Amino acid sequence: MTERTIPNASTGAPRVFSGAQPSADSMHLGNYLGAVRNWVDMQSDHECIYFIPDLHAITVPQDPAQLAERTRKTAAQYIASGIDPTSTPFFVQSHVPEHSQLAWLLTCITGDGEARRMTQFKDKSAKQGAENTSAGLYAYPMLMAADILLYQTDQVPVGEDQRQHLELTRNLAQRFNQRFGETFVVPEAKIMKSTAKIYDLQNPTAKMSKSGLSDNGAIWLLDEPKKMAKKIKSAVTDDGSEIRFDRDSKPGVSNLLSIYSSLTGQSIEEIETEFEGKMYGHLKVALAEIVVDTLGPIRERTLEIMNDPAELDRLLAIGAEKAREIAGPTVASAYEHMGFLAPRA
Ligand code: AMP
Ligand code: TRP
C-alpha cells in the first residue's frame, strides 16, 4: 500500500514534504534563506508538497482573531517567494481532516516515555510550567508524524531542531508497518544545514528569530524597503575595520558576509576580496541594496496576493483537494490495517 497515487509519480523524483507554522505576521530573512528558499528550489527536481501546519499553532496559547489572518499571510509569503501552487500541492493543514485522523492512530502506538523524551516538549513545558502546558504540546510530534506519513514522503527538509521529531516519525512508520503490515513509506530527514544560519543584526551571536530582543535585529519580509535598508545599515559591527569572515571575533561582519553570500551566490572569499581595503559602511550599503532587490519584489507580491483573499483561498482549496487525494487513501489503508470495521457503503 506504499504506492504513489499522485501527479509526477512517473518521474520517479523523490517526494518532499514540509511546512512552517503560521506563528508570525511576517517571515524573517532567516526563515527565507534557511528554509523557504530551499523549498522553492526543490520544486524543480523533486515532487514537492508543502503545507501550513495551523493545527500545530494551537499547541501554545494563540489568539483566534490572529490565526486565520496569519495563516493567509504565511500562505501569501510562500507563494510570493516562489512556491507555485499550480504545480506544487500547497494547502492548510486544518483543511485536510486526515491529519487529525492519522495523528490519533499514531498517538496510540507511541509510548508515553517516548513522547516525553522529545526535547522540544521538555524545553517548552519546563519554560511554561506543567499547569500551563497543553496535552496538545505533548501530542504535537505525533501530529507531525501524521503530516509526513500521510503523503508517503521520502524526504523532509527541516531545520536541525526538528531532527528528533523526524526520528520519531521514522520509528512510528516502521512500528506501524511491522505490527499491521506495510502502510507507510519510511521518510528521511533532510536537515538543512544551509550556510544560511542567519544571526540577529543587533545581537549577532543569537539566531535571527521571531522573538528577538529588538525589532531592528530582524529583517521582516513585510518591512518597507527603506526600513530593511536602515536595519542593515544600523547592524552591529565589530571592533577594527577589516571586512573578514571570523565568526568568533567578528560575528557582526561575518553575519553580513553570510547574508551577502547567500543572496548573491558569491563565495565569502570573493566578497572579502571585493571589499578589501573598504569600510564596514561600504559593505552595508551594498548589502542593503541586495536585500531590498531580493525581498522588495517578494514583499510587493505578498501584498498583491493579500489584496485578493478570495483568489488565495481558491488556490488553497485546490491544494487541499489535491492533498486529500493522497491523504484519503493513506488513512483508509491505515484504518484497514489496524482492523477497524469499515463503514457500510
Ligand atoms: P521557525 O521560525 O523557528 O518556525 O523556523 C521556520 C524555518 O526557518 C525552520 O526550518 C528553521 O530552521 C528556519 N530558520 C529559522 N530561523 C532561522 C535563522 N535565523 N537562520 C536560518 N534558518 C532559520
Ligand atoms: N514542527 C515543524 C516546525 O515547527 C512544523 C511542522 C509540522 C512540519 N508538521 C511538519 C515540518 C511536517 C515538516 C513536516 O518547524
Side-chain angles (χ1 to χ4, degrees):
M1 289 306 269
T2 49
E3 272 167 57
R4 301 296 155 71
T5 49
I6 63 154
N8 293 348
S10 57
T11 63
R15 185 174 293 161
V16 161
F17 180 85
S18 201
Q21 291 190 43
S23 49
D25 287 319
S26 173
M27 65 168 101
H28 54 68
L29 184 61
N31 298 136
Y32 176 71
L33 290 176
V36 178
R37 200 181 54 168
N38 295 302
W39 297 342
V40 169
D41 291 347
M42 288 177 109
Q43 292 177 117
S44 63
D45 49 1
H46 295 76
E47 186 191 324
C48 298
I49 304 178
Y50 296 122
F51 83 137
I52 299 182
D54 57 344
L55 294 170
H56 280 84
I58 64 163
T59 56
V60 291
Q62 49 76 44
D63 175 8
Q66 260 178 359
L67 185 62
E69 183 64 11
R70 287 188 166 176
T71 300
R72 276 215 188 98
K73 277 190 178 159
T74 306
Q77 289 171 77
Y78 278 31
I79 295 173
S81 299
I83 296 212
D84 177 1
T86 61
S87 56
T88 295
F90 176 54
F91 66 97
V92 174
Q93 186 183 29
S94 62
H95 295 174
V96 179
E98 285 83 357
H99 289 255
S100 306
Q101 288 181 292
L102 184 60
W104 176 245
L105 307 194
L106 297 176
T107 300
C108 293
I109 64 161
T110 305
D112 176 51
E114 197 174 27
R116 279 185 207 286
R117 276 196 296 279
M118 294 293 118
T119 51
Q120 191 175 79
F121 171 70
K122 285 201 286 193
D123 292 350
K124 282 198 186 169
S125 56
K127 240 188 237 165
Q128 297 169 1
E131 284 312 307
N132 294 318
T133 296
S134 72
L137 193 63
Y138 169 77
Y140 164 126
M142 289 73 94
L143 177 59
M144 178 162 168
D147 300 336
I148 296 165
L149 299 183
L150 272 178
Y151 300 96
Q152 309 294 12
T153 303
D154 297 299
Q155 296 178 3
V156 188
V158 280
E160 178 62 43
D161 59 332
Q162 300 298 318
R163 186 190 289 279
Q164 199 188 21
H165 293 156
L166 258 297
E167 236 359 88
L168 177 74
T169 303
R170 287 170 58 79
N171 290 338
L172 293 177
Q174 281 160 346
R175 186 174 306 158
F176 194 104
N177 288 347
Q178 255 164 23
R179 266 189 214 168
F180 305 110
E182 279 300 311
T183 308
F184 300 117
V185 168
V186 181
E188 271 176 25
K190 197 156 188 224
I191 305 291
M192 300 185 298
K193 290 214 179 59
S194 63
T195 44
K197 183 158 184 182
I198 305 302
Y199 292 83
D200 188 295
L201 297 173
Q202 290 300 317
N203 179 18
T205 50
K207 241 175 66 161
M208 186 179 286
S209 85
K210 287 171 188 161
S211 50
L213 290 178
S214 145
D215 183 63
N216 286 333
I219 303 259
W220 301 101
L221 206 81
L222 298 184
D223 277 343
E224 288 196 12
K226 266 195 201 140
K227 197 165 181 187
M228 292 182 190
K230 201 162 161 219
K231 286 180 176 178
I232 296 279
K233 289 177 189 162
S234 57
V236 165
T237 33
D238 318 285
D239 289 346
S241 60
E242 204 188 348
I243 298 179
R244 178 169 54 81
F245 190 94
D246 181 338
R247 180 73 70 207
D248 296 330
S249 65
K250 287 178 163 279
V253 172
S254 301
N255 188 35
L256 298 182
L257 287 170
S258 310
I259 298 174
Y260 198 111
S261 166
S262 305
L263 286 173
T264 59
Q266 281 175 268
S267 71
I268 299 277
E269 295 75 42
E270 280 168 351
I271 304 164
E272 283 172 343
T273 309
E274 193 176 321
F275 285 94
E276 213 174 311
K278 301 214 171 117
M279 322 255 274
Y280 291 157
H282 291 114
L283 175 67
K284 288 180 174 178
V285 168
L287 181 59
E289 200 177 312
I290 292 165
V291 167
V292 167
D293 282 353
T294 310
L295 297 190
I298 302 180
R299 171 181 182 273
E300 289 282 308
R301 180 87 192 101
T302 304
L303 298 178
E304 270 169 39
I305 296 170
M306 287 298 293
N307 263 336
D308 190 354
E311 173 60 9
L312 178 58
D313 291 354
R314 188 186 73 82
L315 292 170
L316 293 171
I318 293 172
E321 212 173 291
K322 287 189 202 159
R324 294 198 75 182
E325 282 171 23
I326 313 165
T330 309
V331 163
S333 161
Y335 269 40
E336 190 189 325
H337 280 96
M338 257 190 151
F340 286 105
L341 175 66
R344 251 210 294 170

Short mmCIF file of all heavy atoms in Angstrom, two decimals, residues 295-323:
data_model
loop_
_atom_site.label_atom_id
_atom_site.label_comp_id
_atom_site.label_asym_id
_atom_site.label_seq_id
_atom_site.Cartn_x
_atom_site.Cartn_y
_atom_site.Cartn_z
N LEU A 295 14.19 41.05 -1.52
CA LEU A 295 12.97 40.94 -0.72
C LEU A 295 11.88 41.93 -1.15
O LEU A 295 10.69 41.64 -0.97
CB LEU A 295 13.28 41.13 0.77
CG LEU A 295 14.21 40.09 1.41
CD1 LEU A 295 14.22 40.25 2.91
CD2 LEU A 295 13.81 38.65 1.05
N GLY A 296 12.29 43.08 -1.70
CA GLY A 296 11.31 44.09 -2.11
C GLY A 296 10.23 43.50 -3.01
O GLY A 296 9.03 43.63 -2.72
N PRO A 297 10.62 42.83 -4.10
CA PRO A 297 9.61 42.27 -5.01
C PRO A 297 8.75 41.19 -4.34
O PRO A 297 7.56 41.05 -4.65
CB PRO A 297 10.43 41.65 -6.14
CG PRO A 297 11.77 42.34 -6.08
CD PRO A 297 11.98 42.71 -4.65
N ILE A 298 9.35 40.43 -3.42
CA ILE A 298 8.57 39.39 -2.72
C ILE A 298 7.53 40.07 -1.83
O ILE A 298 6.38 39.64 -1.74
CB ILE A 298 9.49 38.46 -1.90
CG1 ILE A 298 10.53 37.80 -2.81
CG2 ILE A 298 8.69 37.41 -1.16
CD1 ILE A 298 11.49 36.86 -2.09
N ARG A 299 7.95 41.15 -1.21
CA ARG A 299 7.02 41.91 -0.37
C ARG A 299 5.85 42.43 -1.21
O ARG A 299 4.69 42.28 -0.85
CB ARG A 299 7.77 43.06 0.29
CG ARG A 299 6.89 44.03 1.01
CD ARG A 299 7.71 45.16 1.61
NE ARG A 299 6.85 46.06 2.34
CZ ARG A 299 6.21 47.09 1.78
NH1 ARG A 299 6.34 47.35 0.49
NH2 ARG A 299 5.44 47.85 2.53
N GLU A 300 6.19 43.05 -2.35
CA GLU A 300 5.15 43.60 -3.24
C GLU A 300 4.15 42.52 -3.64
O GLU A 300 2.95 42.71 -3.61
CB GLU A 300 5.79 44.10 -4.54
CG GLU A 300 6.62 45.36 -4.38
CD GLU A 300 5.74 46.58 -4.28
OE1 GLU A 300 4.89 46.73 -5.17
OE2 GLU A 300 5.89 47.35 -3.30
N ARG A 301 4.70 41.40 -4.02
CA ARG A 301 3.87 40.29 -4.49
C ARG A 301 2.99 39.77 -3.34
O ARG A 301 1.81 39.46 -3.55
CB ARG A 301 4.81 39.20 -5.01
CG ARG A 301 4.18 37.97 -5.54
CD ARG A 301 3.81 38.08 -7.03
NE ARG A 301 2.96 36.95 -7.39
CZ ARG A 301 1.64 37.02 -7.52
NH1 ARG A 301 1.01 38.15 -7.39
NH2 ARG A 301 0.94 35.94 -7.80
N THR A 302 3.55 39.72 -2.14
CA THR A 302 2.76 39.28 -0.98
C THR A 302 1.58 40.22 -0.78
O THR A 302 0.44 39.78 -0.57
CB THR A 302 3.62 39.26 0.30
OG1 THR A 302 4.75 38.43 0.09
CG2 THR A 302 2.83 38.75 1.49
N LEU A 303 1.84 41.53 -0.87
CA LEU A 303 0.77 42.49 -0.65
C LEU A 303 -0.32 42.35 -1.74
O LEU A 303 -1.51 42.42 -1.44
CB LEU A 303 1.32 43.93 -0.61
CG LEU A 303 2.32 44.19 0.53
CD1 LEU A 303 2.85 45.62 0.48
CD2 LEU A 303 1.69 43.92 1.91
N GLU A 304 0.13 42.10 -2.96
CA GLU A 304 -0.84 41.90 -4.05
C GLU A 304 -1.72 40.67 -3.76
O GLU A 304 -2.94 40.72 -3.93
CB GLU A 304 -0.11 41.58 -5.36
CG GLU A 304 0.25 42.78 -6.21
CD GLU A 304 1.20 42.36 -7.33
OE1 GLU A 304 1.03 41.26 -7.92
OE2 GLU A 304 2.14 43.13 -7.58
N ILE A 305 -1.07 39.60 -3.34
CA ILE A 305 -1.82 38.37 -3.06
C ILE A 305 -2.80 38.61 -1.92
O ILE A 305 -3.96 38.19 -1.96
CB ILE A 305 -0.86 37.20 -2.75
CG1 ILE A 305 0.01 36.88 -3.97
CG2 ILE A 305 -1.63 35.95 -2.29
CD1 ILE A 305 1.16 35.91 -3.69
N MET A 306 -2.34 39.34 -0.90
CA MET A 306 -3.20 39.61 0.25
C MET A 306 -4.39 40.50 -0.13
O MET A 306 -5.40 40.53 0.56
CB MET A 306 -2.39 40.30 1.37
CG MET A 306 -1.43 39.39 2.09
SD MET A 306 -2.26 38.03 2.95
CE MET A 306 -3.15 38.91 4.24
N ASN A 307 -4.24 41.25 -1.22
CA ASN A 307 -5.31 42.12 -1.67
C ASN A 307 -6.44 41.34 -2.31
O ASN A 307 -7.49 41.89 -2.61
CB ASN A 307 -4.78 43.09 -2.73
CG ASN A 307 -4.45 44.40 -2.08
OD1 ASN A 307 -5.00 44.71 -1.02
ND2 ASN A 307 -3.55 45.15 -2.70
N ASP A 308 -6.19 40.08 -2.62
CA ASP A 308 -7.23 39.27 -3.25
C ASP A 308 -7.38 37.96 -2.46
O ASP A 308 -7.03 36.88 -2.95
CB ASP A 308 -6.83 39.00 -4.72
CG ASP A 308 -7.97 38.37 -5.51
OD1 ASP A 308 -9.02 38.05 -4.90
OD2 ASP A 308 -7.80 38.19 -6.73
N PRO A 309 -7.93 38.08 -1.25
CA PRO A 309 -8.01 36.89 -0.39
C PRO A 309 -8.86 35.79 -1.01
O PRO A 309 -8.61 34.61 -0.77
CB PRO A 309 -8.62 37.40 0.92
CG PRO A 309 -9.09 38.77 0.66
CD PRO A 309 -8.41 39.30 -0.56
N ALA A 310 -9.84 36.16 -1.83
CA ALA A 310 -10.71 35.13 -2.42
C ALA A 310 -9.89 34.23 -3.35
O ALA A 310 -10.05 33.01 -3.36
CB ALA A 310 -11.86 35.78 -3.18
N GLU A 311 -9.00 34.85 -4.13
CA GLU A 311 -8.15 34.08 -5.04
C GLU A 311 -7.18 33.20 -4.24
O GLU A 311 -6.96 32.03 -4.57
CB GLU A 311 -7.38 35.04 -5.97
CG GLU A 311 -6.33 34.39 -6.86
CD GLU A 311 -6.88 33.33 -7.83
OE1 GLU A 311 -8.11 33.20 -7.94
OE2 GLU A 311 -6.05 32.61 -8.43
N LEU A 312 -6.65 33.76 -3.17
CA LEU A 312 -5.74 32.97 -2.33
C LEU A 312 -6.49 31.77 -1.74
O LEU A 312 -5.99 30.63 -1.78
CB LEU A 312 -5.19 33.87 -1.20
CG LEU A 312 -4.27 33.19 -0.19
CD1 LEU A 312 -3.06 32.57 -0.86
CD2 LEU A 312 -3.80 34.21 0.86
N ASP A 313 -7.68 32.02 -1.25
CA ASP A 313 -8.48 30.92 -0.66
C ASP A 313 -8.79 29.86 -1.71
O ASP A 313 -8.82 28.67 -1.43
CB ASP A 313 -9.77 31.45 -0.03
CG ASP A 313 -9.49 32.29 1.22
OD1 ASP A 313 -8.31 32.34 1.64
OD2 ASP A 313 -10.43 32.89 1.77
N ARG A 314 -9.02 30.33 -2.94
CA ARG A 314 -9.31 29.38 -4.02
C ARG A 314 -8.09 28.48 -4.28
O ARG A 314 -8.21 27.27 -4.41
CB ARG A 314 -9.67 30.17 -5.30
CG ARG A 314 -10.19 29.32 -6.45
CD ARG A 314 -10.40 30.15 -7.71
NE ARG A 314 -9.13 30.53 -8.33
CZ ARG A 314 -8.42 29.75 -9.14
NH1 ARG A 314 -8.86 28.55 -9.46
NH2 ARG A 314 -7.27 30.17 -9.63
N LEU A 315 -6.91 29.08 -4.32
CA LEU A 315 -5.70 28.29 -4.55
C LEU A 315 -5.48 27.29 -3.41
O LEU A 315 -5.12 26.13 -3.64
CB LEU A 315 -4.46 29.21 -4.65
CG LEU A 315 -4.41 30.10 -5.90
CD1 LEU A 315 -3.30 31.14 -5.78
CD2 LEU A 315 -4.22 29.25 -7.16
N LEU A 316 -5.74 27.74 -2.19
CA LEU A 316 -5.55 26.84 -1.05
C LEU A 316 -6.57 25.70 -1.06
O LEU A 316 -6.28 24.58 -0.65
CB LEU A 316 -5.62 27.62 0.27
CG LEU A 316 -4.47 28.60 0.50
CD1 LEU A 316 -4.73 29.49 1.71
CD2 LEU A 316 -3.13 27.86 0.67
N ALA A 317 -7.77 26.01 -1.57
CA ALA A 317 -8.80 24.96 -1.65
C ALA A 317 -8.39 23.91 -2.67
O ALA A 317 -8.57 22.70 -2.45
CB ALA A 317 -10.15 25.58 -2.01
N ILE A 318 -7.81 24.36 -3.78
CA ILE A 318 -7.34 23.40 -4.79
C ILE A 318 -6.22 22.54 -4.18
O ILE A 318 -6.17 21.33 -4.36
CB ILE A 318 -6.82 24.14 -6.05
CG1 ILE A 318 -7.99 24.83 -6.75
CG2 ILE A 318 -6.11 23.17 -7.00
CD1 ILE A 318 -7.57 25.75 -7.89
N GLY A 319 -5.34 23.20 -3.42
CA GLY A 319 -4.24 22.47 -2.76
C GLY A 319 -4.78 21.41 -1.82
O GLY A 319 -4.31 20.27 -1.79
N ALA A 320 -5.81 21.78 -1.04
CA ALA A 320 -6.38 20.84 -0.07
C ALA A 320 -7.02 19.66 -0.80
O ALA A 320 -6.93 18.51 -0.36
CB ALA A 320 -7.40 21.55 0.82
N GLU A 321 -7.64 19.96 -1.93
CA GLU A 321 -8.27 18.89 -2.70
C GLU A 321 -7.22 17.90 -3.21
O GLU A 321 -7.38 16.69 -3.10
CB GLU A 321 -8.98 19.54 -3.89
CG GLU A 321 -10.23 18.83 -4.34
CD GLU A 321 -10.91 19.67 -5.41
OE1 GLU A 321 -11.43 20.77 -5.06
OE2 GLU A 321 -10.87 19.27 -6.56
N LYS A 322 -6.12 18.46 -3.74
CA LYS A 322 -5.04 17.58 -4.23
C LYS A 322 -4.46 16.78 -3.07
O LYS A 322 -4.14 15.60 -3.20
CB LYS A 322 -3.91 18.41 -4.84
CG LYS A 322 -4.22 19.02 -6.17
CD LYS A 322 -2.91 19.62 -6.73
CE LYS A 322 -3.17 20.69 -7.76
NZ LYS A 322 -2.04 21.60 -7.96
N ALA A 323 -4.31 17.43 -1.92
CA ALA A 323 -3.74 16.75 -0.76
C ALA A 323 -4.63 15.60 -0.33
O ALA A 323 -4.16 14.50 -0.03
CB ALA A 323 -3.55 17.74 0.39
#
